[in-house]
Amino acid sequence: MSESLIFALVIGLTVYLFMRRLRLLKKQKKLREEEIEHGGPPEDPGSMPRLGSPGTITRDQMRQLKDNDFEPSRVWSKEEAQLILDTVTYLRAVIYMATEEADPPIDVQNRLLKFILTDDDLRDYVCEWGLNRTRDDESAPQPVLEKNEHYAKVEAEVLALWEDS
């Protein structure tokens, strides 16, 4: 008798879990259909689009990110990791050129990083800048940046953040 009861409970639990899973799948399908109807999900204004193949970050990039006070994720692509490293180098160079501060506050750096990575034009420019750097540029303690409209935009943000901090 007790074996029958246990068997019935196992079957009941299995049916319950199966039905629950079906409800969740239907709900997800309905949400996807609504997103398609309304032109896709709303984009988070505080994030950058994904680049490259997830999970391709290198050990060297992970080490460099840790050296720059980041906690890298293994799901990042090598392109995303390189963009973050190049952005940090660029923003520190702008800060140095604008304020002559070699060790800027982390809060200012984090805000600038978000500012650059969430702006399509700046992100693309810094990505291109990173790709075009020479070995001499990479070995220099402070890179010398071209003062163009992208530099001016970041410099204005640096000065605004500098006044706030």
Side-chain angles (χ1 to χ4, degrees):
M1 186 76 160
S2 65
E3 290 175 4
S4 299
L5 185 59
I6 292 173
F7 187 66
L9 285 173
V10 168
I11 289 176
L13 180 62
T14 304
V15 169
Y16 167 76
L17 291 174
F18 180 73
M19 296 302 288
R20 182 173 172 225
R21 178 77 175 144
L22 277 177
R23 280 193 301 264
L24 287 172
L25 288 173
K26 284 182 182 178
K27 188 183 278 186
Q28 288 175 347
K29 184 178 178 183
K30 185 178 178 183
L31 285 174
R32 279 194 302 265
E33 288 173 355
E34 287 176 4
E35 287 177 356
I36 290 170
E37 276 181 26
H38 300 296
E43 287 198 26
D44 178 14
S47 65
M48 71 176 212
R50 298 299 307 256
L51 303 171
S53 300
T56 57
I57 186 171
T58 66
R59 290 184 191 272
D60 184 50
Q61 287 174 324
M62 290 183 79
R63 182 190 51 74
Q64 288 177 26
L65 286 163
K66 286 179 181 177
D67 291 346
N68 283 294
D69 300 320
F70 280 90
E71 191 56 44
S73 171
R74 293 195 181 275
V75 298
W76 289 356
S77 71
K78 63 183 176 184
E79 293 85 1
E80 290 167 331
Q82 192 58 53
L83 176 59
I84 292 169
L85 289 167
D86 290 340
T87 304
V88 169
T89 301
Y90 187 84
L91 70 86
R92 286 180 179 166
V94 173
I95 291 171
Y96 183 76
M97 290 174 69
T99 66
E100 296 185 6
E101 178 65 47
D103 189 25
I106 293 291
D107 183 49
V108 171
Q109 291 182 63
N110 287 339
R111 288 176 164 181
L112 274 175
L113 184 72
K114 182 179 178 182
F115 176 74
I116 293 170
L117 293 178
T118 57
D119 183 294
D120 292 339
D121 291 336
L122 287 175
R123 184 180 57 249
D124 292 344
Y125 176 77
V126 171
C127 184
E128 195 67 32
W129 172 82
L131 291 172
N132 292 324
R133 291 176 64 204
T134 64
R135 290 184 187 200
D136 291 338
D137 292 339
E138 290 177 9
S139 64
Q142 284 294 340
V144 178
L145 305 176
E146 177 185 345
K147 292 189 177 186
N148 55 22
E149 68 273 4
H150 302 290
Y151 174 87
K153 193 173 184 180
V154 176
E155 182 184 41
E157 187 68 17
V158 166
L159 296 175
L161 290 171
W162 214 256
E163 289 176 7
D164 292 344
S165 64

